[in-house]
Short mmCIF file of all heavy atoms in Angstrom, two decimals:
data_model
loop_
_atom_site.label_atom_id
_atom_site.label_comp_id
_atom_site.label_asym_id
_atom_site.label_seq_id
_atom_site.Cartn_x
_atom_site.Cartn_y
_atom_site.Cartn_z
N MET A 1 20.09 8.39 11.84
CA MET A 1 20.11 6.90 11.42
C MET A 1 19.03 6.18 12.06
O MET A 1 18.72 6.36 13.27
CB MET A 1 21.45 6.25 11.80
CG MET A 1 22.62 6.86 11.06
SD MET A 1 23.41 5.61 10.08
CE MET A 1 24.59 4.97 11.24
N ALA A 2 18.37 5.31 11.37
CA ALA A 2 17.33 4.62 12.05
C ALA A 2 17.12 3.30 11.19
O ALA A 2 17.61 3.15 10.07
CB ALA A 2 15.97 5.39 11.81
N ARG A 3 16.61 2.30 11.96
CA ARG A 3 16.57 1.00 11.41
C ARG A 3 15.22 0.70 10.75
O ARG A 3 14.20 1.08 11.35
CB ARG A 3 16.77 -0.02 12.55
CG ARG A 3 17.00 -1.45 12.13
CD ARG A 3 17.30 -2.26 13.32
NE ARG A 3 18.53 -2.04 14.01
CZ ARG A 3 19.70 -2.56 13.66
NH1 ARG A 3 19.77 -3.42 12.75
NH2 ARG A 3 20.84 -2.16 14.31
N CYS A 4 15.18 0.21 9.57
CA CYS A 4 13.91 -0.15 8.83
C CYS A 4 13.21 -1.12 9.67
O CYS A 4 13.74 -2.22 9.98
CB CYS A 4 14.30 -0.53 7.51
SG CYS A 4 12.82 -1.18 6.58
N GLU A 5 11.89 -0.91 9.83
CA GLU A 5 11.12 -1.78 10.65
C GLU A 5 10.60 -3.03 9.86
O GLU A 5 10.26 -4.00 10.35
CB GLU A 5 9.90 -1.15 11.22
CG GLU A 5 8.93 -0.69 10.16
CD GLU A 5 7.69 -0.04 10.84
OE1 GLU A 5 7.83 0.91 11.58
OE2 GLU A 5 6.52 -0.47 10.60
N VAL A 6 10.98 -3.15 8.48
CA VAL A 6 10.54 -4.25 7.70
C VAL A 6 11.77 -5.18 7.52
O VAL A 6 11.60 -6.33 7.84
CB VAL A 6 10.09 -3.80 6.23
CG1 VAL A 6 9.76 -5.05 5.47
CG2 VAL A 6 8.73 -3.01 6.42
N CYS A 7 12.90 -4.62 7.10
CA CYS A 7 13.95 -5.54 6.80
C CYS A 7 15.17 -5.42 7.81
O CYS A 7 16.09 -6.23 7.78
CB CYS A 7 14.48 -5.31 5.38
SG CYS A 7 15.19 -3.65 5.11
N GLY A 8 15.01 -4.46 8.68
CA GLY A 8 16.06 -4.33 9.70
C GLY A 8 17.36 -3.52 9.31
O GLY A 8 18.27 -3.42 10.05
N ASN A 9 17.36 -3.03 8.07
CA ASN A 9 18.50 -2.36 7.57
C ASN A 9 18.79 -1.08 8.35
O ASN A 9 17.77 -0.26 8.46
CB ASN A 9 18.27 -2.06 6.06
CG ASN A 9 19.52 -1.52 5.40
OD1 ASN A 9 20.60 -1.71 5.83
ND2 ASN A 9 19.37 -0.85 4.27
N ASP A 10 19.89 -0.80 8.75
CA ASP A 10 20.25 0.48 9.44
C ASP A 10 20.85 1.35 8.42
O ASP A 10 22.03 1.19 7.95
CB ASP A 10 21.28 0.14 10.54
CG ASP A 10 21.21 1.16 11.62
OD1 ASP A 10 20.62 2.28 11.31
OD2 ASP A 10 21.91 0.99 12.67
N TYR A 11 20.09 2.34 7.98
CA TYR A 11 20.45 3.09 6.76
C TYR A 11 20.44 4.63 7.11
O TYR A 11 19.44 5.12 7.70
CB TYR A 11 19.50 2.72 5.66
CG TYR A 11 19.79 3.37 4.34
CD1 TYR A 11 20.91 3.38 3.77
CD2 TYR A 11 18.73 3.75 3.56
CE1 TYR A 11 21.23 3.92 2.47
CE2 TYR A 11 18.83 4.35 2.35
CZ TYR A 11 20.10 4.45 1.84
OH TYR A 11 20.35 4.92 0.47
N ASP A 12 21.43 5.34 6.66
CA ASP A 12 21.49 6.76 7.03
C ASP A 12 20.48 7.62 6.25
O ASP A 12 20.30 8.71 6.48
CB ASP A 12 22.87 7.39 6.84
CG ASP A 12 23.48 7.25 5.39
OD1 ASP A 12 22.72 6.70 4.60
OD2 ASP A 12 24.45 7.87 5.19
N LYS A 13 19.90 7.10 5.22
CA LYS A 13 18.92 7.81 4.50
C LYS A 13 17.44 7.20 4.61
O LYS A 13 16.61 7.37 3.75
CB LYS A 13 19.22 7.79 2.95
CG LYS A 13 20.46 8.61 2.69
CD LYS A 13 20.74 8.65 1.13
CE LYS A 13 22.14 9.33 0.92
NZ LYS A 13 23.22 8.62 1.48
N SER A 14 17.27 6.63 5.78
CA SER A 14 15.96 6.14 6.11
C SER A 14 14.99 7.28 6.33
O SER A 14 15.40 8.42 6.45
CB SER A 14 15.95 5.28 7.35
OG SER A 14 16.49 6.06 8.36
N PHE A 15 13.73 6.97 6.23
CA PHE A 15 12.66 8.04 6.37
C PHE A 15 11.57 7.56 7.16
O PHE A 15 11.39 6.30 7.39
CB PHE A 15 12.17 8.50 4.95
CG PHE A 15 11.63 7.45 4.16
CD1 PHE A 15 10.25 7.22 4.03
CD2 PHE A 15 12.44 6.64 3.29
CE1 PHE A 15 9.70 6.25 3.27
CE2 PHE A 15 11.93 5.62 2.52
CZ PHE A 15 10.52 5.43 2.48
N GLU A 16 10.69 8.56 7.63
CA GLU A 16 9.57 8.12 8.49
C GLU A 16 8.31 8.38 7.71
O GLU A 16 8.17 9.34 7.00
CB GLU A 16 9.67 8.97 9.79
CG GLU A 16 10.65 8.49 10.72
CD GLU A 16 10.74 9.26 11.95
OE1 GLU A 16 10.12 10.36 12.10
OE2 GLU A 16 11.30 8.80 12.99
N VAL A 17 7.32 7.59 8.01
CA VAL A 17 6.01 7.74 7.43
C VAL A 17 5.01 7.65 8.55
O VAL A 17 5.12 6.79 9.43
CB VAL A 17 5.65 6.68 6.30
CG1 VAL A 17 4.29 6.76 5.82
CG2 VAL A 17 6.64 6.69 5.22
N THR A 18 4.07 8.61 8.63
CA THR A 18 3.05 8.55 9.64
C THR A 18 1.74 8.12 8.93
O THR A 18 1.29 8.76 8.05
CB THR A 18 2.83 9.97 10.30
OG1 THR A 18 4.06 10.43 10.79
CG2 THR A 18 1.82 9.86 11.46
N ALA A 19 1.24 6.98 9.44
CA ALA A 19 -0.01 6.48 8.86
C ALA A 19 -0.93 6.11 10.01
O ALA A 19 -0.49 5.38 10.94
CB ALA A 19 0.33 5.23 8.07
N LYS A 20 -2.11 6.57 9.89
CA LYS A 20 -3.16 6.26 10.95
C LYS A 20 -2.58 6.67 12.39
O LYS A 20 -2.86 5.86 13.27
CB LYS A 20 -3.58 4.84 10.89
CG LYS A 20 -4.35 4.53 9.54
CD LYS A 20 -4.67 3.07 9.41
CE LYS A 20 -5.16 2.77 8.09
NZ LYS A 20 -4.94 1.37 7.74
N GLY A 21 -1.88 7.73 12.45
CA GLY A 21 -1.42 8.19 13.77
C GLY A 21 -0.16 7.37 14.28
O GLY A 21 0.33 7.73 15.38
N GLN A 22 0.38 6.48 13.45
CA GLN A 22 1.55 5.79 13.99
C GLN A 22 2.76 6.09 13.06
O GLN A 22 2.63 6.22 11.87
CB GLN A 22 1.26 4.20 13.87
CG GLN A 22 0.47 3.77 15.04
CD GLN A 22 0.36 2.24 15.04
OE1 GLN A 22 0.03 1.56 14.00
NE2 GLN A 22 0.83 1.67 16.14
N ARG A 23 3.93 6.20 13.66
CA ARG A 23 5.08 6.52 12.95
C ARG A 23 5.87 5.24 12.63
O ARG A 23 6.05 4.43 13.42
CB ARG A 23 5.94 7.45 13.83
CG ARG A 23 6.70 8.44 13.08
CD ARG A 23 6.87 9.78 13.82
NE ARG A 23 7.46 9.47 15.08
CZ ARG A 23 8.52 10.14 15.64
NH1 ARG A 23 9.02 11.19 14.91
NH2 ARG A 23 9.08 9.85 16.71
N HIS A 24 6.22 5.23 11.36
CA HIS A 24 6.99 4.04 10.88
C HIS A 24 8.27 4.50 10.26
O HIS A 24 8.40 5.60 9.73
CB HIS A 24 6.20 3.23 9.78
CG HIS A 24 4.90 2.86 10.25
ND1 HIS A 24 4.68 1.54 10.87
CD2 HIS A 24 3.63 3.40 10.24
CE1 HIS A 24 3.40 1.46 11.14
NE2 HIS A 24 2.72 2.58 10.79
N THR A 25 9.31 3.71 10.36
CA THR A 25 10.61 3.99 9.82
C THR A 25 10.95 2.96 8.76
O THR A 25 10.88 1.78 9.01
CB THR A 25 11.70 4.02 10.92
OG1 THR A 25 11.28 4.85 11.93
CG2 THR A 25 13.01 4.46 10.35
N PHE A 26 11.35 3.51 7.57
CA PHE A 26 11.71 2.61 6.42
C PHE A 26 13.09 3.04 5.75
O PHE A 26 13.37 4.24 5.85
CB PHE A 26 10.71 2.55 5.36
CG PHE A 26 9.35 2.16 6.03
CD1 PHE A 26 8.35 3.09 6.06
CD2 PHE A 26 8.99 0.87 6.27
CE1 PHE A 26 7.08 2.80 6.61
CE2 PHE A 26 7.78 0.57 6.83
CZ PHE A 26 6.74 1.49 7.01
N ASP A 27 13.72 2.09 5.13
CA ASP A 27 14.96 2.42 4.41
C ASP A 27 14.68 2.69 2.99
O ASP A 27 15.53 3.11 2.17
CB ASP A 27 16.08 1.46 4.64
CG ASP A 27 15.62 0.03 3.99
OD1 ASP A 27 14.41 -0.27 3.87
OD2 ASP A 27 16.51 -0.75 3.72
N SER A 28 13.43 2.25 2.50
CA SER A 28 13.14 2.27 1.10
C SER A 28 11.56 2.30 0.94
O SER A 28 10.87 1.87 1.77
CB SER A 28 13.72 1.08 0.34
OG SER A 28 13.03 -0.13 0.84
N PHE A 29 11.18 2.75 -0.27
CA PHE A 29 9.74 2.77 -0.63
C PHE A 29 9.22 1.38 -0.72
O PHE A 29 8.12 1.08 -0.35
CB PHE A 29 9.44 3.59 -1.79
CG PHE A 29 9.43 5.04 -1.51
CD1 PHE A 29 10.53 5.81 -1.87
CD2 PHE A 29 8.35 5.64 -0.92
CE1 PHE A 29 10.45 7.09 -1.67
CE2 PHE A 29 8.33 6.97 -0.64
CZ PHE A 29 9.40 7.78 -1.06
N GLU A 30 10.12 0.43 -1.18
CA GLU A 30 9.61 -0.93 -1.23
C GLU A 30 9.17 -1.42 0.15
O GLU A 30 8.21 -2.13 0.21
CB GLU A 30 10.77 -1.77 -1.87
CG GLU A 30 10.34 -3.18 -2.08
CD GLU A 30 11.53 -4.05 -2.75
OE1 GLU A 30 12.58 -3.56 -2.95
OE2 GLU A 30 11.14 -5.15 -2.97
N CYS A 31 10.03 -1.20 1.11
CA CYS A 31 9.72 -1.59 2.54
C CYS A 31 8.42 -0.95 2.94
O CYS A 31 7.57 -1.48 3.67
CB CYS A 31 10.84 -1.48 3.43
SG CYS A 31 12.24 -2.57 3.19
N ALA A 32 8.25 0.37 2.65
CA ALA A 32 7.13 1.13 3.09
C ALA A 32 5.86 0.53 2.45
O ALA A 32 4.93 0.43 3.12
CB ALA A 32 7.31 2.62 2.73
N ILE A 33 5.92 0.22 1.23
CA ILE A 33 4.85 -0.35 0.54
C ILE A 33 4.46 -1.74 1.10
O ILE A 33 3.31 -1.97 1.37
CB ILE A 33 5.12 -0.55 -0.96
CG1 ILE A 33 5.09 0.88 -1.66
CG2 ILE A 33 4.05 -1.39 -1.69
CD1 ILE A 33 5.73 0.93 -3.06
N HIS A 34 5.53 -2.51 1.40
CA HIS A 34 5.32 -3.80 1.97
C HIS A 34 4.54 -3.72 3.28
O HIS A 34 3.65 -4.49 3.60
CB HIS A 34 6.66 -4.46 2.25
CG HIS A 34 6.60 -5.83 2.78
ND1 HIS A 34 6.22 -7.04 2.00
CD2 HIS A 34 6.69 -6.23 4.15
CE1 HIS A 34 6.26 -8.03 2.87
NE2 HIS A 34 6.42 -7.60 4.10
N ALA A 35 4.86 -2.70 4.10
CA ALA A 35 4.29 -2.50 5.41
C ALA A 35 2.92 -1.80 5.34
O ALA A 35 2.03 -2.10 6.15
CB ALA A 35 5.21 -1.76 6.33
N LEU A 36 2.75 -0.86 4.52
CA LEU A 36 1.61 0.07 4.64
C LEU A 36 0.62 -0.07 3.54
O LEU A 36 -0.61 0.30 3.67
CB LEU A 36 2.07 1.51 4.70
CG LEU A 36 2.95 1.89 5.90
CD1 LEU A 36 3.37 3.32 5.73
CD2 LEU A 36 2.24 1.60 7.16
N ALA A 37 0.98 -0.48 2.35
CA ALA A 37 0.02 -0.51 1.25
C ALA A 37 -1.02 -1.50 1.43
O ALA A 37 -0.83 -2.62 1.91
CB ALA A 37 0.74 -0.75 -0.15
N PRO A 38 -2.31 -1.11 1.10
CA PRO A 38 -3.42 -2.09 1.16
C PRO A 38 -3.27 -3.20 0.16
O PRO A 38 -2.56 -3.02 -0.83
CB PRO A 38 -4.64 -1.25 1.02
CG PRO A 38 -4.19 0.01 0.29
CD PRO A 38 -2.75 0.25 0.69
N THR A 39 -3.98 -4.28 0.36
CA THR A 39 -3.86 -5.40 -0.62
C THR A 39 -5.25 -5.48 -1.35
O THR A 39 -6.21 -5.41 -0.76
CB THR A 39 -3.56 -6.75 0.20
OG1 THR A 39 -2.41 -6.49 0.97
CG2 THR A 39 -3.34 -7.85 -0.74
N CYS A 40 -5.11 -5.75 -2.66
CA CYS A 40 -6.32 -5.90 -3.38
C CYS A 40 -7.13 -7.04 -2.95
O CYS A 40 -6.54 -8.18 -2.70
CB CYS A 40 -5.93 -6.10 -4.86
SG CYS A 40 -7.35 -6.40 -5.91
N ALA A 41 -8.43 -6.84 -2.67
CA ALA A 41 -9.27 -7.94 -2.17
C ALA A 41 -9.57 -8.98 -3.16
O ALA A 41 -10.03 -10.07 -2.77
CB ALA A 41 -10.59 -7.28 -1.61
N HIS A 42 -9.25 -8.75 -4.42
CA HIS A 42 -9.48 -9.80 -5.41
C HIS A 42 -8.31 -10.59 -5.78
O HIS A 42 -8.13 -11.74 -5.75
CB HIS A 42 -10.10 -9.08 -6.65
CG HIS A 42 -10.46 -10.13 -7.67
ND1 HIS A 42 -11.49 -10.99 -7.61
CD2 HIS A 42 -9.87 -10.40 -8.88
CE1 HIS A 42 -11.50 -11.76 -8.66
NE2 HIS A 42 -10.57 -11.39 -9.48
N CYS A 43 -7.24 -9.83 -6.17
CA CYS A 43 -6.04 -10.55 -6.75
C CYS A 43 -4.81 -10.55 -5.76
O CYS A 43 -3.89 -11.32 -5.95
CB CYS A 43 -5.54 -9.98 -8.06
SG CYS A 43 -4.78 -8.39 -7.92
N GLY A 44 -4.94 -9.85 -4.75
CA GLY A 44 -3.94 -9.88 -3.60
C GLY A 44 -2.70 -9.06 -3.84
O GLY A 44 -1.75 -9.13 -3.07
N CYS A 45 -2.62 -8.28 -4.97
CA CYS A 45 -1.46 -7.53 -5.15
C CYS A 45 -1.53 -6.23 -4.35
O CYS A 45 -2.57 -5.86 -3.87
CB CYS A 45 -1.30 -7.24 -6.66
SG CYS A 45 -2.50 -5.90 -7.28
N LYS A 46 -0.29 -5.57 -4.13
CA LYS A 46 -0.31 -4.38 -3.36
C LYS A 46 -0.90 -3.17 -4.11
O LYS A 46 -0.56 -3.03 -5.26
CB LYS A 46 1.15 -4.06 -2.98
CG LYS A 46 1.72 -5.04 -1.94
CD LYS A 46 1.11 -4.76 -0.62
CE LYS A 46 1.76 -5.67 0.44
NZ LYS A 46 1.06 -5.55 1.73
N VAL A 47 -1.72 -2.43 -3.42
CA VAL A 47 -2.34 -1.26 -4.07
C VAL A 47 -1.48 -0.12 -3.76
O VAL A 47 -1.50 0.43 -2.70
CB VAL A 47 -3.78 -1.04 -3.62
CG1 VAL A 47 -4.37 0.15 -4.31
CG2 VAL A 47 -4.64 -2.29 -3.84
N ILE A 48 -0.69 0.40 -4.75
CA ILE A 48 0.13 1.45 -4.53
C ILE A 48 -0.28 2.78 -5.30
O ILE A 48 0.36 3.83 -5.19
CB ILE A 48 1.66 1.14 -4.86
CG1 ILE A 48 1.80 0.66 -6.21
CG2 ILE A 48 2.19 0.05 -3.89
CD1 ILE A 48 3.21 0.41 -6.76
N GLY A 49 -1.24 2.59 -6.12
CA GLY A 49 -1.86 3.77 -6.77
C GLY A 49 -3.09 4.15 -5.91
O GLY A 49 -3.20 3.94 -4.75
N HIS A 50 -3.99 4.85 -6.60
CA HIS A 50 -5.22 5.31 -5.88
C HIS A 50 -6.07 4.11 -5.63
O HIS A 50 -6.79 4.10 -4.60
CB HIS A 50 -6.01 6.31 -6.72
CG HIS A 50 -5.36 7.60 -6.96
ND1 HIS A 50 -4.65 8.02 -8.07
CD2 HIS A 50 -5.11 8.63 -5.92
CE1 HIS A 50 -4.18 9.19 -7.80
NE2 HIS A 50 -4.32 9.55 -6.63
N GLY A 51 -6.07 3.09 -6.43
CA GLY A 51 -6.90 1.94 -6.21
C GLY A 51 -8.39 2.18 -6.33
O GLY A 51 -8.76 3.35 -6.82
N VAL A 52 -9.21 1.31 -6.14
CA VAL A 52 -10.70 1.45 -6.19
C VAL A 52 -11.27 0.88 -4.93
O VAL A 52 -10.88 -0.18 -4.46
CB VAL A 52 -11.20 0.58 -7.40
CG1 VAL A 52 -12.72 0.65 -7.51
CG2 VAL A 52 -10.58 1.02 -8.80
N GLU A 53 -12.14 1.72 -4.32
CA GLU A 53 -12.84 1.27 -3.17
C GLU A 53 -14.30 0.95 -3.52
O GLU A 53 -14.95 1.73 -4.16
CB GLU A 53 -12.79 2.37 -2.08
CG GLU A 53 -11.64 2.27 -1.09
CD GLU A 53 -11.76 3.24 0.00
OE1 GLU A 53 -12.65 3.01 0.95
OE2 GLU A 53 -11.09 4.25 -0.04
N GLY A 54 -14.70 -0.18 -3.04
CA GLY A 54 -16.17 -0.42 -3.24
C GLY A 54 -16.57 -1.50 -2.18
O GLY A 54 -15.68 -2.37 -1.85
N ASP A 55 -17.73 -1.50 -1.68
CA ASP A 55 -18.12 -2.45 -0.76
C ASP A 55 -17.31 -2.54 0.45
O ASP A 55 -17.04 -3.52 1.04
CB ASP A 55 -18.11 -3.84 -1.40
CG ASP A 55 -19.49 -4.41 -1.68
OD1 ASP A 55 -20.46 -3.62 -1.32
OD2 ASP A 55 -19.60 -5.45 -2.30
N SER A 56 -16.70 -1.35 0.86
CA SER A 56 -15.75 -1.17 1.94
C SER A 56 -14.58 -2.12 1.82
O SER A 56 -13.86 -2.52 2.70
CB SER A 56 -16.39 -1.31 3.30
OG SER A 56 -17.06 -2.55 3.51
N ARG A 57 -14.23 -2.43 0.60
CA ARG A 57 -12.98 -3.21 0.32
C ARG A 57 -12.21 -2.39 -0.72
O ARG A 57 -12.66 -1.54 -1.33
CB ARG A 57 -13.24 -4.58 -0.29
CG ARG A 57 -13.90 -5.60 0.69
CD ARG A 57 -14.33 -6.93 0.08
NE ARG A 57 -15.38 -6.60 -0.93
CZ ARG A 57 -15.87 -7.62 -1.70
NH1 ARG A 57 -15.32 -8.81 -1.63
NH2 ARG A 57 -16.81 -7.35 -2.58
N ILE A 58 -10.88 -2.75 -0.77
CA ILE A 58 -10.03 -2.03 -1.66
C ILE A 58 -9.43 -2.90 -2.75
O ILE A 58 -9.15 -4.06 -2.40
CB ILE A 58 -8.81 -1.34 -0.90
CG1 ILE A 58 -9.36 -0.33 0.09
CG2 ILE A 58 -7.79 -0.81 -1.84
CD1 ILE A 58 -8.35 0.38 0.95
N PHE A 59 -9.51 -2.41 -4.06
CA PHE A 59 -9.03 -3.16 -5.07
C PHE A 59 -8.07 -2.39 -5.89
O PHE A 59 -7.93 -1.21 -5.81
CB PHE A 59 -10.22 -3.52 -6.11
CG PHE A 59 -11.29 -4.23 -5.31
CD1 PHE A 59 -12.38 -3.55 -4.82
CD2 PHE A 59 -11.37 -5.65 -5.28
CE1 PHE A 59 -13.41 -4.22 -4.14
CE2 PHE A 59 -12.29 -6.34 -4.62
CZ PHE A 59 -13.41 -5.63 -4.03
N CYS A 60 -7.17 -3.18 -6.62
CA CYS A 60 -6.10 -2.47 -7.39
C CYS A 60 -6.62 -1.78 -8.62
O CYS A 60 -6.05 -0.82 -9.14
CB CYS A 60 -5.00 -3.47 -7.76
SG CYS A 60 -5.55 -4.78 -8.90
N CYS A 61 -7.73 -2.28 -9.12
CA CYS A 61 -8.31 -1.69 -10.45
C CYS A 61 -9.77 -2.07 -10.44
O CYS A 61 -10.23 -2.88 -9.68
CB CYS A 61 -7.57 -2.33 -11.58
SG CYS A 61 -7.71 -4.10 -11.77
N ALA A 62 -10.45 -1.36 -11.39
CA ALA A 62 -11.95 -1.57 -11.47
C ALA A 62 -12.30 -3.00 -11.88
O ALA A 62 -13.23 -3.58 -11.51
CB ALA A 62 -12.46 -0.61 -12.55
N ARG A 63 -11.43 -3.56 -12.68
CA ARG A 63 -11.66 -4.91 -13.14
C ARG A 63 -11.76 -5.98 -11.88
O ARG A 63 -12.67 -6.72 -11.89
CB ARG A 63 -10.47 -5.42 -14.06
CG ARG A 63 -10.80 -6.60 -14.86
CD ARG A 63 -9.56 -6.99 -15.79
NE ARG A 63 -9.14 -8.27 -15.36
CZ ARG A 63 -9.71 -9.34 -15.90
NH1 ARG A 63 -10.65 -9.32 -16.72
NH2 ARG A 63 -9.29 -10.54 -15.57
N CYS A 64 -10.84 -5.78 -11.01
CA CYS A 64 -10.78 -6.66 -9.81
C CYS A 64 -12.02 -6.41 -9.01
O CYS A 64 -12.67 -7.30 -8.55
CB CYS A 64 -9.57 -6.40 -8.98
SG CYS A 64 -8.07 -7.19 -9.59
N ALA A 65 -12.51 -5.16 -8.91
CA ALA A 65 -13.72 -4.78 -8.17
C ALA A 65 -14.92 -5.50 -8.80
O ALA A 65 -15.78 -6.01 -8.15
CB ALA A 65 -13.83 -3.23 -8.04
N LYS A 66 -14.98 -5.26 -10.09
CA LYS A 66 -16.10 -5.84 -10.84
C LYS A 66 -16.19 -7.37 -10.64
O LYS A 66 -17.22 -7.97 -10.45
CB LYS A 66 -16.04 -5.51 -12.36
CG LYS A 66 -16.63 -4.18 -12.65
CD LYS A 66 -16.56 -3.87 -14.16
CE LYS A 66 -16.81 -2.37 -14.28
NZ LYS A 66 -16.28 -1.90 -15.60
N GLU A 67 -15.04 -8.02 -10.79
CA GLU A 67 -15.05 -9.48 -10.65
C GLU A 67 -15.36 -9.88 -9.23
O GLU A 67 -15.67 -11.10 -8.95
CB GLU A 67 -13.65 -10.00 -11.09
CG GLU A 67 -13.50 -9.81 -12.58
CD GLU A 67 -12.44 -10.71 -13.19
OE1 GLU A 67 -11.83 -11.47 -12.49
OE2 GLU A 67 -12.28 -10.61 -14.37
N SER A 68 -15.27 -8.99 -8.28
CA SER A 68 -15.77 -9.31 -6.88
C SER A 68 -17.12 -8.86 -6.56
O SER A 68 -17.61 -8.88 -5.45
CB SER A 68 -14.75 -8.69 -5.88
OG SER A 68 -13.47 -9.23 -6.03
N GLY A 69 -17.85 -8.45 -7.73
CA GLY A 69 -19.22 -8.14 -7.47
C GLY A 69 -19.55 -6.74 -7.17
O GLY A 69 -20.67 -6.35 -6.86
N VAL A 70 -18.50 -5.77 -7.21
CA VAL A 70 -18.83 -4.39 -6.92
C VAL A 70 -19.28 -3.69 -8.22
O VAL A 70 -18.75 -3.84 -9.15
CB VAL A 70 -17.53 -3.69 -6.44
CG1 VAL A 70 -17.77 -2.19 -6.14
CG2 VAL A 70 -17.01 -4.39 -5.16
N ARG A 71 -20.42 -2.92 -8.06
CA ARG A 71 -21.03 -2.33 -9.28
C ARG A 71 -20.71 -0.85 -9.28
O ARG A 71 -20.44 -0.26 -8.25
CB ARG A 71 -22.54 -2.47 -9.12
CG ARG A 71 -23.09 -3.80 -9.59
CD ARG A 71 -24.43 -3.98 -8.98
NE ARG A 71 -24.79 -5.37 -9.14
CZ ARG A 71 -25.61 -5.78 -10.17
NH1 ARG A 71 -25.96 -5.00 -11.09
NH2 ARG A 71 -25.91 -7.08 -10.19
N GLY A 72 -20.72 -0.28 -10.49
CA GLY A 72 -20.56 1.14 -10.63
C GLY A 72 -19.09 1.65 -10.43
O GLY A 72 -18.97 2.80 -10.08
N VAL A 73 -18.15 0.80 -10.68
CA VAL A 73 -16.74 1.38 -10.62
C VAL A 73 -16.14 1.28 -12.05
O VAL A 73 -16.44 0.32 -12.77
CB VAL A 73 -15.90 0.51 -9.63
CG1 VAL A 73 -16.32 0.82 -8.22
CG2 VAL A 73 -16.01 -1.01 -9.90
N ASP A 74 -15.32 2.22 -12.28
CA ASP A 74 -14.64 2.25 -13.51
C ASP A 74 -13.25 2.85 -13.34
O ASP A 74 -13.11 3.74 -12.46
CB ASP A 74 -15.37 3.05 -14.57
CG ASP A 74 -16.44 2.25 -15.26
OD1 ASP A 74 -16.01 1.17 -15.90
OD2 ASP A 74 -17.63 2.63 -15.23
N ASP A 75 -12.31 2.36 -14.03
CA ASP A 75 -10.98 3.04 -13.99
C ASP A 75 -11.12 4.50 -14.48
O ASP A 75 -11.64 4.65 -15.59
CB ASP A 75 -9.94 2.26 -14.86
CG ASP A 75 -9.36 1.13 -13.96
OD1 ASP A 75 -9.14 1.36 -12.72
OD2 ASP A 75 -9.08 0.06 -14.56
N ARG A 76 -10.59 5.39 -13.73
CA ARG A 76 -10.58 6.77 -14.35
C ARG A 76 -9.17 7.13 -14.61
O ARG A 76 -8.28 7.22 -13.72
CB ARG A 76 -11.11 7.76 -13.28
CG ARG A 76 -12.63 7.89 -13.22
CD ARG A 76 -13.15 8.63 -12.23
NE ARG A 76 -13.03 8.01 -10.91
CZ ARG A 76 -13.29 8.57 -9.74
NH1 ARG A 76 -13.79 9.74 -9.74
NH2 ARG A 76 -13.12 7.92 -8.61
N VAL A 77 -8.81 7.17 -15.88
CA VAL A 77 -7.45 7.40 -16.33
C VAL A 77 -7.27 8.90 -16.86
O VAL A 77 -8.10 9.18 -17.68
CB VAL A 77 -7.03 6.45 -17.41
CG1 VAL A 77 -5.53 6.64 -17.73
CG2 VAL A 77 -7.29 5.00 -16.82
ZN1 LIG B 1 13.76 -2.03 4.70
ZN1 LIG B 2 -6.38 -6.64 -8.07
#
């Protein structure tokens, strides 16, 4: 049993995620995303897919990257 570090829920099916050498405990993927997922530099939504990296920033999609002036990115589907 471990307590979720985001919402404080003490849940017997909690899980651990290691990110950048640090161990985190969550009760749900929603909380894990809240704590660990990067945020789109253009629209501010959580990037939970592969996302797009450009200009050393992370975007949720190529459209956001383009609108922020990043060239040469396209959604690969
Ligand atoms: Zn939680
Ligand atoms: Zn976006």
Side-chain angles (χ1 to χ4, degrees):
M1 292 241 273
R3 194 176 290 271
C4 173
E5 66 180 53
V6 174
C7 67
N9 187 22
D10 202 348
Y11 184 44
D12 63 352
K13 293 180 184 63
S14 60
F15 57 96
E16 288 183 342
V17 175
T18 305
K20 294 174 189 156
Q22 281 190 304
R23 215 147 53 134
H24 301 271
T25 306
F26 305 107
D27 64 336
S28 66
F29 280 102
E30 186 177 359
C31 288
I33 287 165
H34 180 82
L36 299 179
T39 307
C40 175
H42 182 71
C43 70
C45 72
K46 289 288 184 187
V47 180
I48 56 174
H50 290 107
V52 176
E53 263 189 80
D55 254 356
S56 60
R57 289 175 295 174
I58 294 179
F59 302 93
C60 65
C61 61
R63 198 182 120 81
C64 282
K66 275 181 194 156
E67 292 200 356
S68 295
V70 179
R71 284 158 189 264
V73 290
D74 275 301
D75 274 324
R76 277 173 291 178
V77 182

